[in-house]
């Protein structure tokens, strides 16, 4: 059954435009509260990132939950994976995250975690949507929910992150630049890395409600690159606004993306005899990662784009490691969702175990040039069922052989068909991608 409000990663949009409005969030808090109250009377955690609209939506959700008779524990600014962790360890009925992740400040969104620290099951989301269509009511005064702040939330999560690497490891001689994107990790990530002994240079730690992800963080690592080089740091760590993405920079100023980081973690786990199941990537995972893993004797399976689908496939294949080239990295032996700080700590630990720099560790995997062209569509078209497009795809695939691949993907959020070609040689890949994009454009105009 199609959902009316929930997408693959909760509900997201521009602040002030439906559904991201104060009245909708009030009703959503009530609807979710009614569903949770039907199961048992317990508390729900509510955390947020640093965008200015978080104050408004935190209050709206609190009021809705209270009207439904559910107690609320307010966490204030907290990374998304931190909220998942606290939901699980405090045995809350659910965790609610107010965040639009890597989006600009004028967007916001809502997502939920179950008591297990994972995304809500579809049936619960459907039930919440059912209540959204009913008139809002308020329980009798004696049954109203209560709200209070959880003062030690940040400290609990800091200790949890530090515990994900052995205390015997010595990080005293590491100089690290940490970019928190003026987001939810601003008061957490610098403490984590300094408390394990590293010298930390912090940037992106002065949120004002409007500067989250603004030319900083995992989606814009250029400032991090410059800071690493200027300070002759060993590496740089870039997180996004809600802390579930990680991009790193080596001492030479070269960007290390999610695919390369997953490869490093997989190789480390394999060497330690801790690797279980395949690595789960997505349709966009670089072919170089697949080949690099194959040389290690590790299979790669591909999910649809989106961390929800990666998690589903990890569960299905009994894996412990997966993610996306954008930097969503899920280490299921450490946590239950994508966590930028936890993933970064695993990389630092491998540097200590191996005695190698990040630059040396990433060299085991050779990324293939990957060209992506977005073709605007004025009408709906399924490229998989268009004979001309498929003929062009097969011709290019035959030329690439097993040293390349082609992917056509219809965007779920924009009127676009994404044309991606990957192969050994960038100039050849560019030519093929352009040919295919022109074929798609011709098919759309036909």
């Amino acid at each position: 059954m199609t959902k009316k409000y929930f997408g693959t990663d909760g509900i997201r949009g521009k602040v002030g435009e439906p559904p991201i409005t104060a009245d909708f969030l009030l009703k959503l808090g009530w609807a979710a509260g009614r569903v949770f109250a039907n199961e048992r009377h317990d508390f729900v955690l509510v955390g947020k990132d640093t965008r200015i609209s978080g104050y408004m939506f935190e209050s709206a959700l609190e009021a809705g939950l209270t009207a439904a008779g559910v107690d609320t524990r307010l966490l204030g600014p907290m990374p998304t994976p931190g909220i998942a962790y606290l939901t699980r360890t405090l045995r809350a009925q659910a965790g609610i995250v107010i965040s639009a992740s890597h989006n600009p400040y004028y967007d916001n969104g809502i997502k939920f975690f179950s008591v297990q620290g994972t995304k809500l099951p579809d049936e619960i989301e459907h039930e919440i949507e059912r209540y959204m269509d009913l008139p809002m009511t308020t329980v009798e005064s004696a049954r109203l929910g209560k709200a209070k702040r959880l003062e030690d939330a940040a400290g609990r999560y800091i200790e949890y992150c530090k515990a994900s690497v052995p205390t015997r490891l010595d990080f005293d001689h590491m100089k690290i630049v940490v970019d928190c994107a003026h987001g939810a990790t601003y008061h957490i990530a610098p403490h984590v890395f300094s408390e394990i002994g590293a010298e930390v240079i912090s940037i992106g730690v002065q949120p004002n409600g409007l500067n989250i992800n603004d030319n900083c963080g995992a989606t814009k690592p250029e400032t991090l690159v410059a800071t690493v080089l200027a300070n002759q740091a060993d590496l740089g760590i870039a997180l996004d606004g809600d802390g579930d993405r990680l991009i790193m920079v080596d001492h030479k100023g070269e960007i290390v993306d999610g695919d390369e980081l997953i490869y490093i973690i997989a190789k480390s786990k394999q060497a330690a005899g801790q690797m279980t199941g395949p690595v789960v990537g997505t349709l966009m995972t670089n072919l170089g990662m697949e080949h690099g893993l194959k040389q290690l004797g590790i299979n790669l399976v591909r999910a649809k784009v989106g961390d929800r689908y990666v998690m589903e496939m990890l569960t299905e294949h009994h894996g412990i490691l997966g993610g996306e080239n954008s930097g969503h990295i899920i280490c299921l032996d450490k946590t239950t969702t994508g966590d930028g700080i936890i993933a970064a700590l695993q990389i630092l630990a491998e540097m200590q175990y191996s005695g190698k720099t990040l630059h040396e560790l990433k060299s085991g995997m050779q990324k293939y040039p990957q060209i992506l062209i977005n073709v605007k569509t004025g009408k709906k078209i399924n490229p998989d069922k268009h004979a001309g497009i498929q003929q062009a795809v097969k011709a290019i695939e035959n030329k690439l052989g097993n040293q390349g691949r082609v992917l056509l993907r219809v965007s779920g959020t924009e009127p676009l068909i994404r044309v991606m070609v990957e192969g050994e040689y960038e100039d050849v890949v560019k030519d093929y991608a352009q040919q295919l994009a022109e074929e798609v454009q011709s098919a759309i105009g036909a």
Side-chain angles (χ1 to χ4, degrees), residues 328-386:
H328 279 120
I329 300 173
I330 303 171
C331 301
L332 273 187
D333 57 333
K334 305 291 182 183
T335 185
T336 59
T337 188
D339 190 319
I341 296 175
I342 294 289
L345 286 167
Q346 308 318 301
I347 299 293
L348 297 188
E350 177 55 21
M351 290 174 66
Q352 294 298 91
Y353 286 134
S354 66
K356 294 180 179 180
T357 65
L358 178 58
H359 185 81
E360 290 169 330
L361 289 175
K362 75 166 187 172
S363 66
M365 171 193 145
Q366 298 302 316
K367 281 173 64 177
Y368 280 41
Q370 191 181 83
I371 303 298
L372 179 67
I373 299 176
N374 291 325
V375 180
K376 290 187 177 180
T377 60
K379 63 180 182 180
K380 200 166 186 180
I381 182 171
N382 184 347
D384 294 338
K385 295 186 178 179
H386 191 283

Side-chain angles (χ1 to χ4, degrees), residues 30 167 223 300 370 418:
W30 173 81
T167 54
T223 301
L300 173 77
Q370 191 181 83
R418 305 192 192 279

Side-chain angles (χ1 to χ4, degrees), residues 262-263 265-271 275-280 289-301 321:
I262 292 168
Y263 169 83
I265 296 171
K267 186 175 181 180
S268 174
K269 290 188 181 299
Q270 182 84 327
M275 193 64 201
T276 302
V279 167
V280 176
M289 175 172 145
E290 183 173 349
H291 288 178
L293 290 173
K294 191 173 183 181
Q295 290 175 359
L296 298 174
I298 301 172
N299 290 329
L300 173 77
V301 294
L321 178 64

Side-chain angles (χ1 to χ4, degrees), residues 45-56:
L45 299 182
V46 176
K48 60 183 180 178
D49 63 24
T50 56
R51 60 196 77 218
I52 193 168
S53 57
Y55 294 99
M56 174 172 65

Side-chain angles (χ1 to χ4, degrees), residues 426-439:
E426 188 167 4
D427 54 345
V428 174
V429 169
K430 278 183 179 177
D431 287 343
Y432 288 159
Q434 192 58 50
Q435 289 174 31
L436 195 51
E438 289 172 2
E439 183 65 41

Side-chain angles (χ1 to χ4, degrees), residues 82-136:
I83 297 168
Y85 162 72
L86 290 169
T87 303
R88 187 175 81 251
T89 58
L90 293 173
R91 293 169 174 78
Q93 199 156 357
I96 305 178
V97 182
I98 307 168
S99 174
S101 189
H102 57 282
N103 287 28
Y105 78 92
Y106 49 75
D107 291 336
N108 216 330
I110 303 294
K111 53 188 169 185
F112 291 80
F113 286 112
S114 71
V115 67
Q116 289 81 27
T118 57
K119 300 288 176 67
L120 285 184
D122 285 339
E123 56 268 26
I124 300 296
E125 291 185 347
H126 282 300
E127 186 68 359
I128 292 172
E129 290 197 347
R130 186 179 73 80
Y131 272 100
M132 290 293 293
D133 293 331
L134 300 177
M136 183 172 168

